[in-house]
Amino acid sequence: MSIEKIVEQALQDGYLTPAMEAEVGRICDNASDLSIEEYMSLDRLMGSLLTGEVVAVPRKQFINVMEELVLTEVIAKVAEIEASSESSLDVGDITAYALNRLPPLYATTEEGANYQRHRAKTELQEFISQQVAKAIDRYLDQPEFFPERQALGKSAGSDVLSQVSNLLQVYAPSFEHSTGEL
């Protein structure tokens, strides 16, 4: 999405989402020379933020631990399937299908998140695995209804790694790879 479109959307809606903010940052970081129109749009956005015409929506202050657990399970299963077949699976579709059939496990602190992870691993791991398996089966059995459809926040042709990266950026922004946990 272009800076101009993001600014127009923010002005229309009255808010700048974290995803929109990240996209503006990505565009600015990757563009060595912005056009005068892009600079003008950025200036308009900054002015709107300063006057309160547009407000920045804060990043969420809570997490659904179930998303992390399901995503981990989906990634593992999809990797197994893709390594041994010609199938290409959509991590986002499979994760969403499974999550819609599982209870949420929200937390607002790291202690709460650790409690929810432990609880899920001891009480719900089998149920999580069953729902992920059903989601994969459903995905593999579905006909291709709308091949032109676009997943949220990504362009066509993305591979599993970029899908996972996008999902982690949205749902686990403070994820540290060194912990070995999601």
Side-chain angles (χ1 to χ4, degrees), residues 53-112:
E53 181 183 357
V54 172
V55 295
V57 178
R59 295 202 181 271
K60 60 185 181 179
Q61 309 252 328
F62 52 88
I63 61 167
N64 180 358
V65 173
M66 185 61 78
E67 291 174 357
E68 297 173 3
L69 299 171
V70 170
L71 184 58
T72 301
E73 180 90 12
V74 170
I75 291 167
K77 298 295 183 193
V78 165
E80 287 176 19
I81 292 168
E82 288 184 346
S84 63
S85 73
E86 295 293 317
S87 297
S88 178
L89 296 112
D90 188 305
V91 170
D93 279 356
I94 294 166
T95 302
Y97 186 92
L99 283 169
N100 283 331
R101 286 146 184 84
L102 290 161
L105 297 174
Y106 285 99
T108 60
T109 65
E110 193 59 41
E111 294 81 13

Side-chain angles (χ1 to χ4, degrees), residues 150-168:
Q150 294 285 317
L152 294 173
K154 73 168 192 169
S155 61
S158 294
D159 61 1
V160 171
L161 184 58
S162 65
Q163 291 177 42
V164 170
S165 177
N166 289 338
L167 286 169
L168 286 173

Side-chain angles (χ1 to χ4, degrees), residues 4 23 32 55 57 98 110 121 126 128 131 144 179:
E4 293 92 346
E23 183 67 11
S32 57
V55 295
V57 178
E110 193 59 41
K121 287 177 182 177
E126 186 175 328
I128 292 169
Q131 293 308 312
E144 178 118 6
T179 63

Side-chain angles (χ1 to χ4, degrees), residues 10-12 31 35 41 45 52 57 63 104 107 118 124 142 150 152 170:
L11 290 169
Q12 177 184 334
S35 70
S41 288
L45 179 61
V57 178
I63 61 167
H118 176 72
L124 299 170
Q142 75 179 350
Q150 294 285 317
L152 294 173
V170 172

